[in-house]
Amino acid sequence: MRNFAWYGRLSTKDKQDPTISFPSQREACEKKAAELDGQIVCEFTDQEAGRRDDRAGGAELVREAKEPDTRRFDAVIVYATSRLSRDLFHALAYEREMKRAGVESFYALTAGDQTSPEGRLIRHMFQALDQFEVEKLGREVRRGQTENIRRGYRNGGRAPYGYRLKREPHPDPARARAGDTKSRLVIDPEQAPVIAEIFDRFLSGYGYKQIADHLNRSGGP
C-alpha cells in the first residue's frame, strides 16, 4: 500500500472556514488515495494566498520529500491544482522538485496523469487557468475600486487624519433597502486646523521632528 502526504491550503482572502474547508479537502483526497491503493499518513497545510511561494506548510513538505531516509510518504495528494498554487511558475517548480525527489503528485480532482505527455499538457492547462482566474479577478477588483473612487467614494480603511467618513445609503436602491452604505471623505472641522498648522510650519522651514515636538507640546493637539 502506498503512503500519501496530504497538502491542503485555504486562502485567507477568500475568508474560507478552516473547520469546513480543510476536512472537505482531506476527505476528497482520502477517497482518491484509496482509489490509488494508498492511504494518507501525514498532512501539511497552509492558510495563505495561492500566489505566495513562502508558505510554511508547502516548504516543509518539499523539505521532507528531499530526505528519502526519513520521509514518511511515497507520494503527495492535493485536492485540486488551485489548492497547490495559483501561480504557474510556482506550481511547475514544485512538481519539478517533487519529481527530482522521486515523489509523485496526484490531485483528487482530475488534472491530468503526469506519466504521459498528454496528461502533463492537461495538468499544465489547469495550472495556467488557475493563474488566469486569480489575475482576472484582481483586474476586475481594481476596475471596480477605480470607478468607486471616480464617484467620490472611499474604498475602505480608516479616514486619514483631518478627515472623517460620511456614510451614505448605497446608490443601488435594492442594496440601500437592505441597509448597505458607502462612505465619502469629508473634512473633520476639529482636525483640519492641525493639518493647516503642520503645512504652515513645514513651509516656514520647520523639520519633521520640530513639527512633531510642537504638536506634542503640553496642551497641543
Side-chain angles (χ1 to χ4, degrees), residues 84-105:
L84 174 64
S85 178
R86 286 191 178 272
D87 184 285
L88 179 59
F89 175 80
H90 296 159
L92 295 177
Y94 157 81
E95 291 192 346
R96 183 180 182 184
E97 291 296 318
M98 291 291 105
K99 186 176 180 180
R100 284 179 171 178
V103 176
E104 288 188 90
S105 298

Side-chain angles (χ1 to χ4, degrees), residues 129-140:
L129 286 170
D130 293 334
Q131 179 170 326
F132 165 73
E133 286 295 333
V134 74
E135 289 178 349
K136 183 180 72 170
L137 177 61
R139 180 190 65 196
E140 296 306 305

Side-chain angles (χ1 to χ4, degrees), residues 28-67:
C29 290
E30 286 175 341
K31 291 179 180 178
K32 183 66 175 180
E35 292 175 8
L36 297 169
D37 191 29
Q39 61 180 354
I40 293 174
V41 297
C42 57
E43 64 179 52
F44 302 84
T45 60
D46 283 304
Q47 288 185 247
E48 293 286 357
R51 303 201 70 184
R52 293 191 59 165
D53 64 346
D54 58 346
R55 288 173 263 150
E60 182 60 23
L61 170 63
V62 174
R63 184 200 64 75
E64 184 169 337
K66 294 179 178 179
E67 300 178 352

Side-chain angles (χ1 to χ4, degrees), residues 109-147:
L109 298 186
T110 303
D113 179 2
Q114 66 176 354
T115 61
S116 69
E118 293 81 5
R120 285 192 292 273
L121 173 62
I122 293 173
R123 179 174 293 190
H124 295 166
M125 290 172 63
F126 271 86
Q127 292 165 336
L129 286 170
D130 293 334
Q131 179 170 326
F132 165 73
E133 286 295 333
V134 74
E135 289 178 349
K136 183 180 72 170
L137 177 61
R139 180 190 65 196
E140 296 306 305
V141 168
R142 288 191 295 272
R143 179 176 62 84
Q145 290 177 335
T146 300
E147 183 60 26

Side-chain angles (χ1 to χ4, degrees), residues 32 53 150 188-189 199 217:
K32 183 66 175 180
D53 64 346
R150 284 179 179 155
D188 187 316
F199 276 87
R217 70 190 184 278

